[in-house]
Amino acid sequence: MDGALPSVVGGLVNTPVIAVPTSVGYGASFGGVSALLTMLNTCSPGVGVVNIDNGFGAAAMAFKMIYSSRVAAAAAAQAEASGSSA
């Protein structure tokens, strides 16, 4: 069951989920490879997976998601403002 939680959460929520497999776990975790492969084989849309113990990569992915959504919102607001003044 290592790595099954992001798939379950990704199926329940309407926002992106960032999955970070860890190198420690119970049973035969094989240094995080088991959780990584489970997360990569998810069928839930909106689940992004980073490398084992890569919290920095997860933070970078979250920043890119937030930044791109703000840029898109600003572009939409600018287009709306220029469309209404014409």
Side-chain angles (χ1 to χ4, degrees), residues 14-84:
N14 200 15
T15 57
V17 175
I18 301 173
V20 184
T22 59
S23 60
V24 295
Y26 60 91
S29 65
F30 302 113
V33 175
S34 174
L36 176 65
L37 294 176
T38 302
M39 291 176 187
L40 287 173
N41 286 315
T42 184
C43 295
S44 298
V47 176
V49 182
V50 296
N51 204 357
I52 300 168
D53 293 333
N54 190 7
F56 184 81
M61 183 184 290
F63 175 79
K64 287 187 142 206
M65 288 177 186
I66 294 169
Y67 182 76
S68 65
S69 68
R70 288 191 179 180
V71 168
Q78 184 180 10
E80 183 179 322
S82 66
S84 64

